[in-house]
Amino acid sequence: MKVLVINAGSSSLKYQIIDMDNEAVLAKGLCERIGIDGSKLTHKVPGKDDYVVETPMPSHKEAVSLVMEALLDADHGVLKSLDELSAIGHRVLHGGIEYTDSCLVTPEVKDVIRANFDLGPLHNPANLMGIEACEAAIPGKPNVAVFDTAFGMSMKPEAYMYAIPMEYYDKYKIRRYGFHGTSHKFVSGETIKFGQLPEGQRKVIVCHLGNGSSISASIDGKCVDTSMGLTPLEGLMMGTRSGDVDPAVVQFICNHDNKTVDEVLNILNKKSGVLGLSGLSSDFRDVKKAAGEGNERAAMASNAFIYRVAKTIGSYVAAMNGVDAIAFTAGIGENDVEYRGWICEYLTYLGIEIDKEANKKRGQNIMISTPDSKVKVFVIPTNEELAIARDTKEIVEG
Ligand code: AMP
């Protein structure tokens, strides 16, 4: 069974085709600059040179047609006919309160994606365009929507409600949703499997630490809490996002710098986090290097990130009344041996002991805690495309 996975952004479209018999990636690629000058498709097949097509893509429709041509191309393709495709799985950012799991796309599902444009203004419209482009290009094939918010839907009201007047929930469904859900679900599931966590000992904290960062707490793979909120701005400090701030900061900057709320929100989303504090870069490698060379602001930015991660882990231990395993994933979590070590230095009160040799490895499933550690600590590479393909397979097979 071959599944096409589509992740459509406002001006880009990423894809992978996965053979679900062995979960191998047959081809993957990216359409860039959709709707703007200089559109380009880069198609990659393992063991072959990249196939690049530079041609106008006024909309996602043309992008999907080009992807189909690349998949069928005599030299660079991996399919003889589109009939070989069993289904298409789509990453969809926001399923609102309606969807607690992935589902087959129907007109009602599209209505819900549309109804949630307000909550995912950058992503939901693009996600819907990707779905409609696939429906037009490959008619009759099942499309599956995999919502990034679905994982957070198992949170209880005490975790997801903001303590603001109830009318805002009733009118606008303002609540905490959480994001990176596909990654948290995948990594918590892999942690249980790889770590062979027995029943009753499946309290897992996943630290998805990348340019965007979030942490989740789950029991038996079901989310108890997660650090992002109504939008991905809440929670940890990130590459360019501030994470939690007192909302009064927004009013204060508006009043003192004569800015609009939108302008301040833009600062909190794009100019804050380690970039804002260090004044140097949003890339943790640059910030770490500068800190190592004696740059005090870079060191403070780096330390603030580590501190908040450790503090959030501690709060989730409290939320679950314990933790059995902690998993690191995404760009920093999978690759940055030092950040993992620094975060774990805060966690010795949990009886965590890190195996320094194991912690030198990167990019594969590994246990980095010692056999005596009271809590197991893992590195589990995330794979959102595979998670989407697995859900798609499960849904179309019924
Ligand atoms: P992501 O958003 O998951 O792609 O993660 C991006 C972040 O991961 C960047 O800030 C990088 O500093 C960090 N990162 C990516 N690759 C590496 C690596 N090989 N070693 C250390 N950090 C890395």
Side-chain angles (χ1 to χ4, degrees):
M1 174 189 216
K2 289 172 187 146
V3 170
L4 176 64
V5 175
I6 299 280
N7 183 352
S10 50
S11 65
S12 69
L13 185 142
K14 283 192 241 164
Y15 63 93
Q16 276 195 13
I17 178 155
I18 302 180
D19 184 344
M20 294 311 289
D21 295 339
N22 52 9
E23 298 191 335
V25 177
L26 303 177
K28 64 179 175 181
L30 168 69
C31 299
E32 294 168 271
R33 301 181 64 86
I34 300 170
I36 37 182
D37 285 350
S39 315
K40 179 167 111 175
L41 164 96
T42 308
H43 177 76
K44 294 171 187 278
V45 177
K48 287 195 180 172
D49 289 342
D50 288 0
Y51 173 51
V52 178
V53 183
E54 292 187 31
T55 185
M57 296 180 217
S59 74
H60 289 70
K61 201 161 172 246
E62 290 78 16
V64 166
S65 296
L66 276 173
V67 171
M68 298 307 148
E69 282 172 28
L71 292 173
L72 293 168
D73 187 82
D75 295 327
H76 305 277
V78 290
L79 299 176
K80 291 206 171 53
S81 140
L82 291 180
D83 278 342
E84 286 177 50
L85 273 184
S86 298
I88 306 118
H90 297 264
R91 174 175 188 256
V92 181
L93 183 82
H94 223 299
I97 58 163
E98 285 85 355
Y99 290 106
T100 56
D101 220 333
S102 306
C103 62
L104 202 61
V105 174
T106 61
E108 294 72 39
V109 172
K110 291 203 283 184
D111 285 345
V112 170
I113 297 172
R114 221 173 272 118
N116 285 300
F117 277 6
D118 257 6
L119 290 172
L122 294 180
H123 296 85
N124 269 33
N127 301 152
L128 187 59
M129 281 193 275
I131 291 174
E132 293 189 326
C134 286
E135 287 175 335
I138 336 169
K141 294 286 175 191
N143 286 274
V144 169
V146 178
F147 298 101
D148 218 23
T149 48
F151 182 68
M153 295 313 290
S154 56
M155 283 190 280
K156 289 187 182 158
E158 52 264 42
Y160 72 68
M161 287 302 287
Y162 291 114
I164 59 176
M166 195 66 194
E167 65 181 281
Y168 297 111
Y169 179 77
D170 293 339
K171 275 200 290 196
Y172 307 123
K173 298 294 168 277
I174 292 181
R175 52 162 277 172
R176 304 183 59 255
Y177 288 90
F179 294 86
H180 293 142
T182 311
S183 173
H184 284 288
K185 180 178 166 194
F186 179 83
V187 175
S188 56
E190 290 294 297
T191 303
I192 290 172
K193 261 195 265 168
F194 178 73
Q196 299 179 333
L197 305 186
E199 251 176 69
Q201 290 177 38
R202 292 177 178 167
K203 292 177 177 168
V204 175
I205 293 176
V206 172
C207 303
H208 178 115
L209 308 179
N211 194 26
S213 293
S214 62
I215 303 193
S216 68
S218 61
I219 302 179
D220 294 329
K222 294 262 175 277
C223 178
V224 170
D225 208 339
T226 186
S227 60
M228 286 175 167
L230 175 73
T231 76
L233 185 54
E234 188 177 335
L236 300 176
M237 180 180 146
M238 314 181 202
T240 64
R241 293 187 201 127
S242 61
D244 293 341
V245 290
D246 179 342
V249 167
V250 177
Q251 183 200 35
F252 197 96
I253 298 176
C254 284
N255 291 344
H256 284 75
D257 270 7
N258 197 23
K259 289 198 183 326
T260 63
V261 169
D262 282 5
E263 284 170 334
V264 178
L265 262 289
N266 194 45
I267 292 170
L268 296 183
N269 269 302
K270 302 208 172 125
K271 297 187 177 158
S272 300
V274 284
L275 170 66
L277 281 189
S278 71
L280 273 179
S281 170
S282 62
D283 192 303
F284 284 76
R285 283 167 291 198
D286 300 338
V287 174
K288 187 173 71 174
K289 185 163 174 281
E293 289 164 358
N295 182 318
E296 286 180 16
R297 271 181 65 184
M300 183 263 288
S302 185
N303 290 339
F305 171 76
I306 296 162
Y307 176 79
R308 277 222 215 165
V309 171
K311 196 166 87 161
T312 306
I313 292 173
S315 71
Y316 286 173
V317 175
M320 295 192 290
N321 193 8
V323 59
D324 298 301
I326 297 176
F328 288 97
T329 196
I332 302 160
E334 288 169 33
N335 295 298
D336 204 306
V337 168
E338 286 172 302
Y339 275 105
R340 288 199 304 249
W342 291 327
I343 292 164
C344 290
E345 280 174 18
Y346 272 96
L347 307 177
T348 49
Y349 71 97
L350 291 171
I352 285 179
E353 281 177 34
I354 296 300
D355 176 338
K356 291 209 168 75
E357 281 309 305
N359 190 36
K360 285 183 186 156
K361 295 187 192 146
R362 48 180 88 197
Q364 52 177 297
N365 282 359
I366 32 167
M367 184 162 96
I368 60 169
S369 51
T370 64
D372 291 337
S373 179
K374 294 233 164 46
V375 177
K376 292 178 175 172
V377 184
F378 299 97
V379 174
I380 306 281
T382 190
N383 191 338
E384 290 169 275
E385 289 76 16
L386 180 58
I388 292 170
R390 283 182 184 169
D391 273 17
T392 302
K393 176 176 188 272
E394 200 180 306
I395 283 170
V396 296
E397 285 182 345

